[in-house]
Amino acid sequence: MTGAARRRAFVTSVGDLLASWNLPHATGRVYGLLLVTEEPASLDAIAAELELSKGAVSTAVRQLDSWGLARVIPQPGSRRLLIEATAGIESLLEASHARARTLIAALRDGEDLVGPGPAQDRLHSVIDLFAGYVAVGDQLLSAGRRQRPEPGAREDQP
């Protein structure tokens, strides 16, 4: 498989993965492309490479930015924007945790609406599920940060 074909396959697989998380396939493809692009890219360049409309790319970039997966870089004196991928799946997990925490808070606001019984049990079960998801994810993120070397540190240094 050629380098270009491998790149297209990677971009498509990232699109498929993020689509399975209920993000549009185009958003996942844009993210996949940004991950393997050395320099920040313009909306036009992304649209051309992925054969998407500029509007679709713009929407995808807004979604990626809201999830913390991309950064928009304004160009002084120009309306042109450049886009680059950010930290990666860690940002996606952190954004997912923030949304889960918001859901947990909203669910806890409803605890006083139910008395002892099936509804209360169901509500607590959902709260516990999301709280467990956040707790395990936080442990994974923490472990990943401990294993990652400091920026600029050489691997042969203690």
Side-chain angles (χ1 to χ4, degrees), residues 119-139:
Q120 184 183 63
D121 294 344
R122 187 172 43 250
L123 185 59
H124 286 158
S125 178
V126 173
I127 291 169
D128 291 346
L129 173 71
F130 280 96
Y133 160 74
V134 171
V136 169
D138 285 345
Q139 290 173 355

mmCIF file with all atom_site columns, all heavy atoms in Angstrom, residues 119-139:
data_model
loop_
_atom_site.group_PDB
_atom_site.id
_atom_site.type_symbol
_atom_site.label_atom_id
_atom_site.label_alt_id
_atom_site.label_comp_id
_atom_site.label_asym_id
_atom_site.label_entity_id
_atom_site.label_seq_id
_atom_site.pdbx_PDB_ins_code
_atom_site.Cartn_x
_atom_site.Cartn_y
_atom_site.Cartn_z
_atom_site.occupancy
_atom_site.B_iso_or_equiv
_atom_site.pdbx_formal_charge
_atom_site.auth_seq_id
_atom_site.auth_comp_id
_atom_site.auth_asym_id
_atom_site.auth_atom_id
_atom_site.pdbx_PDB_model_num
ATOM 1   N N   . ALA A 1 119 ? -37.646 4.336  41.001 1.00 0.00 ? 119 ALA A N   1
ATOM 2   C CA  . ALA A 1 119 ? -37.123 5.527  40.326 1.00 0.00 ? 119 ALA A CA  1
ATOM 3   C C   . ALA A 1 119 ? -35.834 5.998  40.991 1.00 0.00 ? 119 ALA A C   1
ATOM 4   O O   . ALA A 1 119 ? -34.866 6.356  40.307 1.00 0.00 ? 119 ALA A O   1
ATOM 5   C CB  . ALA A 1 119 ? -38.167 6.639  40.322 1.00 0.00 ? 119 ALA A CB  1
ATOM 6   N N   . GLN A 1 120 ? -35.808 6.011  42.311 1.00 0.00 ? 120 GLN A N   1
ATOM 7   C CA  . GLN A 1 120 ? -34.599 6.425  43.026 1.00 0.00 ? 120 GLN A CA  1
ATOM 8   C C   . GLN A 1 120 ? -33.451 5.459  42.746 1.00 0.00 ? 120 GLN A C   1
ATOM 9   O O   . GLN A 1 120 ? -32.316 5.877  42.513 1.00 0.00 ? 120 GLN A O   1
ATOM 10  C CB  . GLN A 1 120 ? -34.874 6.488  44.533 1.00 0.00 ? 120 GLN A CB  1
ATOM 11  C CG  . GLN A 1 120 ? -33.685 7.018  45.329 1.00 0.00 ? 120 GLN A CG  1
ATOM 12  C CD  . GLN A 1 120 ? -33.958 6.991  46.810 1.00 0.00 ? 120 GLN A CD  1
ATOM 13  O OE1 . GLN A 1 120 ? -34.148 5.914  47.380 1.00 0.00 ? 120 GLN A OE1 1
ATOM 14  N NE2 . GLN A 1 120 ? -33.966 8.175  47.420 1.00 0.00 ? 120 GLN A NE2 1
ATOM 15  N N   . ASP A 1 121 ? -33.757 4.159  42.759 1.00 0.00 ? 121 ASP A N   1
ATOM 16  C CA  . ASP A 1 121 ? -32.725 3.159  42.465 1.00 0.00 ? 121 ASP A CA  1
ATOM 17  C C   . ASP A 1 121 ? -32.157 3.355  41.065 1.00 0.00 ? 121 ASP A C   1
ATOM 18  O O   . ASP A 1 121 ? -30.950 3.285  40.849 1.00 0.00 ? 121 ASP A O   1
ATOM 19  C CB  . ASP A 1 121 ? -33.298 1.738  42.595 1.00 0.00 ? 121 ASP A CB  1
ATOM 20  C CG  . ASP A 1 121 ? -33.698 1.377  44.019 1.00 0.00 ? 121 ASP A CG  1
ATOM 21  O OD1 . ASP A 1 121 ? -33.256 2.087  44.967 1.00 0.00 ? 121 ASP A OD1 1
ATOM 22  O OD2 . ASP A 1 121 ? -34.450 0.403  44.175 1.00 0.00 ? 121 ASP A OD2 1
ATOM 23  N N   . ARG A 1 122 ? -33.050 3.608  40.100 1.00 0.00 ? 122 ARG A N   1
ATOM 24  C CA  . ARG A 1 122 ? -32.622 3.808  38.716 1.00 0.00 ? 122 ARG A CA  1
ATOM 25  C C   . ARG A 1 122 ? -31.763 5.064  38.596 1.00 0.00 ? 122 ARG A C   1
ATOM 26  O O   . ARG A 1 122 ? -30.698 5.055  37.968 1.00 0.00 ? 122 ARG A O   1
ATOM 27  C CB  . ARG A 1 122 ? -33.869 3.899  37.825 1.00 0.00 ? 122 ARG A CB  1
ATOM 28  C CG  . ARG A 1 122 ? -33.584 3.942  36.356 1.00 0.00 ? 122 ARG A CG  1
ATOM 29  C CD  . ARG A 1 122 ? -34.857 3.843  35.501 1.00 0.00 ? 122 ARG A CD  1
ATOM 30  N NE  . ARG A 1 122 ? -35.978 4.639  35.976 1.00 0.00 ? 122 ARG A NE  1
ATOM 31  C CZ  . ARG A 1 122 ? -37.104 4.133  36.520 1.00 0.00 ? 122 ARG A CZ  1
ATOM 32  N NH1 . ARG A 1 122 ? -37.258 2.836  36.665 1.00 0.00 ? 122 ARG A NH1 1
ATOM 33  N NH2 . ARG A 1 122 ? -38.086 4.938  36.914 1.00 0.00 ? 122 ARG A NH2 1
ATOM 34  N N   . LEU A 1 123 ? -32.183 6.136  39.223 1.00 0.00 ? 123 LEU A N   1
ATOM 35  C CA  . LEU A 1 123 ? -31.429 7.388  39.173 1.00 0.00 ? 123 LEU A CA  1
ATOM 36  C C   . LEU A 1 123 ? -30.045 7.213  39.786 1.00 0.00 ? 123 LEU A C   1
ATOM 37  O O   . LEU A 1 123 ? -29.038 7.623  39.197 1.00 0.00 ? 123 LEU A O   1
ATOM 38  C CB  . LEU A 1 123 ? -32.211 8.500  39.894 1.00 0.00 ? 123 LEU A CB  1
ATOM 39  C CG  . LEU A 1 123 ? -31.621 9.902  39.845 1.00 0.00 ? 123 LEU A CG  1
ATOM 40  C CD1 . LEU A 1 123 ? -31.472 10.382 38.408 1.00 0.00 ? 123 LEU A CD1 1
ATOM 41  C CD2 . LEU A 1 123 ? -32.492 10.866 40.639 1.00 0.00 ? 123 LEU A CD2 1
ATOM 42  N N   . HIS A 1 124 ? -29.977 6.574  40.950 1.00 0.00 ? 124 HIS A N   1
ATOM 43  C CA  . HIS A 1 124 ? -28.674 6.350  41.593 1.00 0.00 ? 124 HIS A CA  1
ATOM 44  C C   . HIS A 1 124 ? -27.785 5.426  40.770 1.00 0.00 ? 124 HIS A C   1
ATOM 45  O O   . HIS A 1 124 ? -26.565 5.606  40.722 1.00 0.00 ? 124 HIS A O   1
ATOM 46  C CB  . HIS A 1 124 ? -28.861 5.809  43.004 1.00 0.00 ? 124 HIS A CB  1
ATOM 47  C CG  . HIS A 1 124 ? -29.339 6.847  43.968 1.00 0.00 ? 124 HIS A CG  1
ATOM 48  N ND1 . HIS A 1 124 ? -29.979 6.532  45.134 1.00 0.00 ? 124 HIS A ND1 1
ATOM 49  C CD2 . HIS A 1 124 ? -29.292 8.200  43.929 1.00 0.00 ? 124 HIS A CD2 1
ATOM 50  C CE1 . HIS A 1 124 ? -30.294 7.644  45.771 1.00 0.00 ? 124 HIS A CE1 1
ATOM 51  N NE2 . HIS A 1 124 ? -29.899 8.670  45.046 1.00 0.00 ? 124 HIS A NE2 1
ATOM 52  N N   . SER A 1 125 ? -28.409 4.457  40.102 1.00 0.00 ? 125 SER A N   1
ATOM 53  C CA  . SER A 1 125 ? -27.639 3.546  39.249 1.00 0.00 ? 125 SER A CA  1
ATOM 54  C C   . SER A 1 125 ? -26.980 4.302  38.093 1.00 0.00 ? 125 SER A C   1
ATOM 55  O O   . SER A 1 125 ? -25.804 4.078  37.768 1.00 0.00 ? 125 SER A O   1
ATOM 56  C CB  . SER A 1 125 ? -28.567 2.455  38.719 1.00 0.00 ? 125 SER A CB  1
ATOM 57  O OG  . SER A 1 125 ? -27.877 1.590  37.861 1.00 0.00 ? 125 SER A OG  1
ATOM 58  N N   . VAL A 1 126 ? -27.725 5.213  37.476 1.00 0.00 ? 126 VAL A N   1
ATOM 59  C CA  . VAL A 1 126 ? -27.174 5.999  36.366 1.00 0.00 ? 126 VAL A CA  1
ATOM 60  C C   . VAL A 1 126 ? -26.077 6.941  36.884 1.00 0.00 ? 126 VAL A C   1
ATOM 61  O O   . VAL A 1 126 ? -25.011 7.065  36.269 1.00 0.00 ? 126 VAL A O   1
ATOM 62  C CB  . VAL A 1 126 ? -28.295 6.774  35.638 1.00 0.00 ? 126 VAL A CB  1
ATOM 63  C CG1 . VAL A 1 126 ? -27.719 7.733  34.604 1.00 0.00 ? 126 VAL A CG1 1
ATOM 64  C CG2 . VAL A 1 126 ? -29.264 5.811  34.988 1.00 0.00 ? 126 VAL A CG2 1
ATOM 65  N N   . ILE A 1 127 ? -26.317 7.586  38.017 1.00 0.00 ? 127 ILE A N   1
ATOM 66  C CA  . ILE A 1 127 ? -25.300 8.462  38.602 1.00 0.00 ? 127 ILE A CA  1
ATOM 67  C C   . ILE A 1 127 ? -24.030 7.666  38.890 1.00 0.00 ? 127 ILE A C   1
ATOM 68  O O   . ILE A 1 127 ? -22.919 8.093  38.556 1.00 0.00 ? 127 ILE A O   1
ATOM 69  C CB  . ILE A 1 127 ? -25.832 9.151  39.879 1.00 0.00 ? 127 ILE A CB  1
ATOM 70  C CG1 . ILE A 1 127 ? -26.912 10.172 39.530 1.00 0.00 ? 127 ILE A CG1 1
ATOM 71  C CG2 . ILE A 1 127 ? -24.689 9.821  40.649 1.00 0.00 ? 127 ILE A CG2 1
ATOM 72  C CD1 . ILE A 1 127 ? -27.672 10.718 40.736 1.00 0.00 ? 127 ILE A CD1 1
ATOM 73  N N   . ASP A 1 128 ? -24.189 6.495  39.501 1.00 0.00 ? 128 ASP A N   1
ATOM 74  C CA  . ASP A 1 128 ? -23.026 5.659  39.832 1.00 0.00 ? 128 ASP A CA  1
ATOM 75  C C   . ASP A 1 128 ? -22.272 5.213  38.583 1.00 0.00 ? 128 ASP A C   1
ATOM 76  O O   . ASP A 1 128 ? -21.040 5.174  38.564 1.00 0.00 ? 128 ASP A O   1
ATOM 77  C CB  . ASP A 1 128 ? -23.456 4.434  40.638 1.00 0.00 ? 128 ASP A CB  1
ATOM 78  C CG  . ASP A 1 128 ? -23.935 4.778  42.042 1.00 0.00 ? 128 ASP A CG  1
ATOM 79  O OD1 . ASP A 1 128 ? -23.692 5.921  42.504 1.00 0.00 ? 128 ASP A OD1 1
ATOM 80  O OD2 . ASP A 1 128 ? -24.563 3.895  42.677 1.00 0.00 ? 128 ASP A OD2 1
ATOM 81  N N   . LEU A 1 129 ? -23.012 4.888  37.526 1.00 0.00 ? 129 LEU A N   1
ATOM 82  C CA  . LEU A 1 129 ? -22.381 4.471  36.271 1.00 0.00 ? 129 LEU A CA  1
ATOM 83  C C   . LEU A 1 129 ? -21.495 5.578  35.717 1.00 0.00 ? 129 LEU A C   1
ATOM 84  O O   . LEU A 1 129 ? -20.325 5.355  35.399 1.00 0.00 ? 129 LEU A O   1
ATOM 85  C CB  . LEU A 1 129 ? -23.446 4.083  35.238 1.00 0.00 ? 129 LEU A CB  1
ATOM 86  C CG  . LEU A 1 129 ? -22.906 3.801  33.835 1.00 0.00 ? 129 LEU A CG  1
ATOM 87  C CD1 . LEU A 1 129 ? -22.142 2.497  33.827 1.00 0.00 ? 129 LEU A CD1 1
ATOM 88  C CD2 . LEU A 1 129 ? -24.044 3.784  32.835 1.00 0.00 ? 129 LEU A CD2 1
ATOM 89  N N   . PHE A 1 130 ? -22.044 6.784  35.613 1.00 0.00 ? 130 PHE A N   1
ATOM 90  C CA  . PHE A 1 130 ? -21.268 7.887  35.051 1.00 0.00 ? 130 PHE A CA  1
ATOM 91  C C   . PHE A 1 130 ? -20.134 8.311  35.988 1.00 0.00 ? 130 PHE A C   1
ATOM 92  O O   . PHE A 1 130 ? -19.048 8.651  35.524 1.00 0.00 ? 130 PHE A O   1
ATOM 93  C CB  . PHE A 1 130 ? -22.172 9.066  34.677 1.00 0.00 ? 130 PHE A CB  1
ATOM 94  C CG  . PHE A 1 130 ? -22.861 8.856  33.366 1.00 0.00 ? 130 PHE A CG  1
ATOM 95  C CD1 . PHE A 1 130 ? -24.150 8.348  33.316 1.00 0.00 ? 130 PHE A CD1 1
ATOM 96  C CD2 . PHE A 1 130 ? -22.213 9.130  32.174 1.00 0.00 ? 130 PHE A CD2 1
ATOM 97  C CE1 . PHE A 1 130 ? -24.782 8.128  32.107 1.00 0.00 ? 130 PHE A CE1 1
ATOM 98  C CE2 . PHE A 1 130 ? -22.830 8.917  30.954 1.00 0.00 ? 130 PHE A CE2 1
ATOM 99  C CZ  . PHE A 1 130 ? -24.130 8.410  30.925 1.00 0.00 ? 130 PHE A CZ  1
ATOM 100 N N   . ALA A 1 131 ? -20.368 8.274  37.278 1.00 0.00 ? 131 ALA A N   1
ATOM 101 C CA  . ALA A 1 131 ? -19.307 8.606  38.235 1.00 0.00 ? 131 ALA A CA  1
ATOM 102 C C   . ALA A 1 131 ? -18.167 7.595  38.124 1.00 0.00 ? 131 ALA A C   1
ATOM 103 O O   . ALA A 1 131 ? -16.986 7.962  38.170 1.00 0.00 ? 131 ALA A O   1
ATOM 104 C CB  . ALA A 1 131 ? -19.855 8.652  39.653 1.00 0.00 ? 131 ALA A CB  1
ATOM 105 N N   . GLY A 1 132 ? -18.505 6.317  37.951 1.00 0.00 ? 132 GLY A N   1
ATOM 106 C CA  . GLY A 1 132 ? -17.476 5.290  37.771 1.00 0.00 ? 132 GLY A CA  1
ATOM 107 C C   . GLY A 1 132 ? -16.694 5.482  36.486 1.00 0.00 ? 132 GLY A C   1
ATOM 108 O O   . GLY A 1 132 ? -15.468 5.334  36.453 1.00 0.00 ? 132 GLY A O   1
ATOM 109 N N   . TYR A 1 133 ? -17.400 5.841  35.407 1.00 0.00 ? 133 TYR A N   1
ATOM 110 C CA  . TYR A 1 133 ? -16.748 6.116  34.123 1.00 0.00 ? 133 TYR A CA  1
ATOM 111 C C   . TYR A 1 133 ? -15.736 7.242  34.274 1.00 0.00 ? 133 TYR A C   1
ATOM 112 O O   . TYR A 1 133 ? -14.593 7.131  33.816 1.00 0.00 ? 133 TYR A O   1
ATOM 113 C CB  . TYR A 1 133 ? -17.819 6.467  33.076 1.00 0.00 ? 133 TYR A CB  1
ATOM 114 C CG  . TYR A 1 133 ? -17.283 7.210  31.876 1.00 0.00 ? 133 TYR A CG  1
ATOM 115 C CD1 . TYR A 1 133 ? -16.542 6.556  30.908 1.00 0.00 ? 133 TYR A CD1 1
ATOM 116 C CD2 . TYR A 1 133 ? -17.517 8.574  31.731 1.00 0.00 ? 133 TYR A CD2 1
ATOM 117 C CE1 . TYR A 1 133 ? -16.044 7.237  29.810 1.00 0.00 ? 133 TYR A CE1 1
ATOM 118 C CE2 . TYR A 1 133 ? -17.029 9.263  30.637 1.00 0.00 ? 133 TYR A CE2 1
ATOM 119 C CZ  . TYR A 1 133 ? -16.294 8.593  29.683 1.00 0.00 ? 133 TYR A CZ  1
ATOM 120 O OH  . TYR A 1 133 ? -15.790 9.277  28.612 1.00 0.00 ? 133 TYR A OH  1
ATOM 121 N N   . VAL A 1 134 ? -16.134 8.323  34.944 1.00 0.00 ? 134 VAL A N   1
ATOM 122 C CA  . VAL A 1 134 ? -15.236 9.458  35.132 1.00 0.00 ? 134 VAL A CA  1
ATOM 123 C C   . VAL A 1 134 ? -14.053 9.062  36.018 1.00 0.00 ? 134 VAL A C   1
ATOM 124 O O   . VAL A 1 134 ? -12.904 9.405  35.716 1.00 0.00 ? 134 VAL A O   1
ATOM 125 C CB  . VAL A 1 134 ? -16.001 10.672 35.717 1.00 0.00 ? 134 VAL A CB  1
ATOM 126 C CG1 . VAL A 1 134 ? -15.043 11.774 36.132 1.00 0.00 ? 134 VAL A CG1 1
ATOM 127 C CG2 . VAL A 1 134 ? -17.005 11.199 34.704 1.00 0.00 ? 134 VAL A CG2 1
ATOM 128 N N   . ALA A 1 135 ? -14.308 8.316  37.076 1.00 0.00 ? 135 ALA A N   1
ATOM 129 C CA  . ALA A 1 135 ? -13.228 7.923  37.998 1.00 0.00 ? 135 ALA A CA  1
ATOM 130 C C   . ALA A 1 135 ? -12.188 7.041  37.294 1.00 0.00 ? 135 ALA A C   1
ATOM 131 O O   . ALA A 1 135 ? -10.980 7.275  37.421 1.00 0.00 ? 135 ALA A O   1
ATOM 132 C CB  . ALA A 1 135 ? -13.806 7.199  39.215 1.00 0.00 ? 135 ALA A CB  1
ATOM 133 N N   . VAL A 1 136 ? -12.646 6.061  36.538 1.00 0.00 ? 136 VAL A N   1
ATOM 134 C CA  . VAL A 1 136 ? -11.710 5.176  35.826 1.00 0.00 ? 136 VAL A CA  1
ATOM 135 C C   . VAL A 1 136 ? -10.955 5.955  34.754 1.00 0.00 ? 136 VAL A C   1
ATOM 136 O O   . VAL A 1 136 ? -9.742  5.804  34.591 1.00 0.00 ? 136 VAL A O   1
ATOM 137 C CB  . VAL A 1 136 ? -12.460 3.967  35.218 1.00 0.00 ? 136 VAL A CB  1
ATOM 138 C CG1 . VAL A 1 136 ? -11.566 3.196  34.251 1.00 0.00 ? 136 VAL A CG1 1
ATOM 139 C CG2 . VAL A 1 136 ? -12.959 3.051  36.322 1.00 0.00 ? 136 VAL A CG2 1
ATOM 140 N N   . GLY A 1 137 ? -11.657 6.804  34.035 1.00 0.00 ? 137 GLY A N   1
ATOM 141 C CA  . GLY A 1 137 ? -10.995 7.625  33.023 1.00 0.00 ? 137 GLY A CA  1
ATOM 142 C C   . GLY A 1 137 ? -9.963  8.553  33.620 1.00 0.00 ? 137 GLY A C   1
ATOM 143 O O   . GLY A 1 137 ? -8.875  8.739  33.057 1.00 0.00 ? 137 GLY A O   1
ATOM 144 N N   . ASP A 1 138 ? -10.276 9.142  34.772 1.00 0.00 ? 138 ASP A N   1
ATOM 145 C CA  . ASP A 1 138 ? -9.306  10.011 35.448 1.00 0.00 ? 138 ASP A CA  1
ATOM 146 C C   . ASP A 1 138 ? -8.054  9.227  35.836 1.00 0.00 ? 138 ASP A C   1
ATOM 147 O O   . ASP A 1 138 ? -6.938  9.732  35.730 1.00 0.00 ? 138 ASP A O   1
ATOM 148 C CB  . ASP A 1 138 ? -9.925  10.675 36.672 1.00 0.00 ? 138 ASP A CB  1
ATOM 149 C CG  . ASP A 1 138 ? -10.876 11.810 36.320 1.00 0.00 ? 138 ASP A CG  1
ATOM 150 O OD1 . ASP A 1 138 ? -10.853 12.275 35.156 1.00 0.00 ? 138 ASP A OD1 1
ATOM 151 O OD2 . ASP A 1 138 ? -11.635 12.220 37.221 1.00 0.00 ? 138 ASP A OD2 1
ATOM 152 N N   . GLN A 1 139 ? -8.234  7.984  36.271 1.00 0.00 ? 139 GLN A N   1
ATOM 153 C CA  . GLN A 1 139 ? -7.081  7.139  36.612 1.00 0.00 ? 139 GLN A CA  1
ATOM 154 C C   . GLN A 1 139 ? -6.229  6.870  35.377 1.00 0.00 ? 139 GLN A C   1
ATOM 155 O O   . GLN A 1 139 ? -4.994  6.930  35.441 1.00 0.00 ? 139 GLN A O   1
ATOM 156 C CB  . GLN A 1 139 ? -7.539  5.822  37.227 1.00 0.00 ? 139 GLN A CB  1
ATOM 157 C CG  . GLN A 1 139 ? -8.140  5.952  38.608 1.00 0.00 ? 139 GLN A CG  1
ATOM 158 C CD  . GLN A 1 139 ? -8.734  4.648  39.107 1.00 0.00 ? 139 GLN A CD  1
ATOM 159 O OE1 . GLN A 1 139 ? -8.782  3.643  38.386 1.00 0.00 ? 139 GLN A OE1 1
ATOM 160 N NE2 . GLN A 1 139 ? -9.211  4.660  40.346 1.00 0.00 ? 139 GLN A NE2 1
#
